[in-house]
Amino acid sequence: GEDVEQSLFLSVREGDSSVINCTYTDSSSTYLYWYKQEPGAGLQLLTYIFSNMDMKQDQRLTVLLNKKDKHLSLRIADTQTGDSAIYFCAERPSGTYKYIFGTGTRLKVLA
Amino acid sequence: DGGITQSPKYLFRKEGQNVTLSCEQNLNHDAMYWYRQDPGQGLRLIYYSQIVNDFQKGDIAEGYSVSREKKESFPLTVTSAQKNPTAFYLCASNHKAGDYYGYTFGSGTRLTVV
């Protein structure tokens, strides 16, 4: 099947770390992505990871990839109220440039 | 600056009307996509186009139509056959191959049936 699964909600306190998880099903996926959507807006690419990598760090963002379990996570360090948004993971299976998106995780940051 | 422009930002449709949502990109991207977003359901693919004058149905194409007469433009028509069109519509584009930067998205059109 082509299902990318995410939990729907996550709530954290300002200053804590947030971890958003994603499970994908296509082991041929070459690239995996994290997008952020603020209210009433389109999706903004946050970061991506190539399938031969285990980890990628970009300032406050850390992406971990467990290819064996088809598990992707996004850690946001020192979470701020401006990080409140919906976060989507997406995969790009090999041989196609059509992406498969997860259902999105709504992150709420409490002051 | 390059990007994708969707218009209008808000659109109201009466029962039985067809409406057309505009999507224009100046990124020289080959492929373009239309997604529908409903609360708690993520993104669902309506139609996509890999090349001019060609397009394919996505997962929820019924009640929608598209055209791709120019590389830059991929308008979506919501027809009266679409029974529940109220939603947020997103257009996206990317290159055919070797594009690890992923999709570029427009800012969306919110369609409401009145």
Side-chain angles (χ1 to χ4, degrees):
Chain A
E2 294 186 336
D3 290 331
V4 179
E5 295 184 353
Q6 300 179 240
S7 54
L8 288 181
F9 298 101
L10 176 65
S11 179
V12 299
R13 295 205 175 274
E14 191 175 18
D16 288 349
S17 292
S18 309
V19 179
I20 302 171
N21 294 302
C22 170
T23 302
Y24 63 99
T25 58
D26 194 326
S27 58
S28 76
S29 288
T30 310
Y31 297 104
L32 296 131
Y33 304 85
W34 284 103
Y35 285 85
K36 177 183 180 182
Q37 184 184 33
E38 297 186 0
L43 276 68
Q44 170 195 359
L45 179 66
L46 280 179
T47 188
Y48 66 92
I49 188 167
F50 190 50
S51 59
N52 68 353
M53 298 169 66
D54 298 323
M55 186 181 85
K56 180 178 180 182
Q57 187 153 0
D58 185 1
Q59 299 182 329
R60 292 191 298 123
L61 305 178
T62 303
V63 179
L64 295 177
L65 176 60
N66 181 331
K67 208 173 174 186
K68 175 177 169 290
D69 295 336
K70 299 190 188 74
H71 185 263
L72 182 72
S73 68
L74 174 70
R75 178 177 180 271
I76 305 172
D78 187 24
T79 311
Q80 303 297 308
T81 54
D83 294 323
S84 292
I86 302 175
Y87 291 82
F88 291 91
C89 66
E91 61 176 332
R92 176 180 171 174
S94 176
T96 177
Y97 43 91
K98 185 162 64 86
Y99 294 62
I100 303 168
F101 286 86
T103 51
T105 298
R106 185 179 293 276
L107 173 65
K108 184 174 181 179
V109 182
L110 306 171
Chain B
D1 287 339
I4 295 186
T5 301
Q6 286 187 244
S7 62
K9 189 170 178 64
Y10 300 96
L11 186 58
F12 298 90
R13 191 194 94 167
K14 293 183 180 178
E15 296 279 353
Q17 270 186 341
N18 291 355
V19 291
T20 297
L21 284 59
S22 171
C23 178
E24 304 274 335
Q25 55 100 357
N26 60 2
L27 299 163
N28 199 32
H29 281 172
D30 305 297
M32 298 185 74
Y33 309 80
W34 275 105
Y35 286 89
R36 170 179 170 144
Q37 186 177 22
D38 296 279
Q41 293 198 40
L43 302 178
R44 292 187 289 170
L45 182 64
I46 305 172
Y47 268 99
Y48 64 103
S49 169
Q50 302 172 3
I51 195 169
V52 174
N53 292 324
D54 188 43
F55 47 83
Q56 289 77 40
K57 292 181 180 180
D59 302 316
I60 55 164
E62 186 175 350
Y64 300 97
S65 66
V66 292
S67 63
R68 187 89 185 273
E69 297 176 1
K70 298 186 299 182
K71 189 175 185 179
E72 301 79 20
S73 179
F74 191 41
L76 173 74
T77 296
V78 184
T79 74
S80 56
Q82 170 51 238
K83 298 306 177 191
N84 184 23
T86 294
F88 190 53
Y89 291 86
L90 287 161
C91 180
S93 69
N94 68 343
H95 284 297
K96 276 187 182 180
D99 177 19
Y100 51 83
Y101 292 109
Y103 283 4
T104 300
F105 280 88
S107 55
T109 293
R110 185 166 298 281
L111 174 62
T112 304
V113 174
V114 295

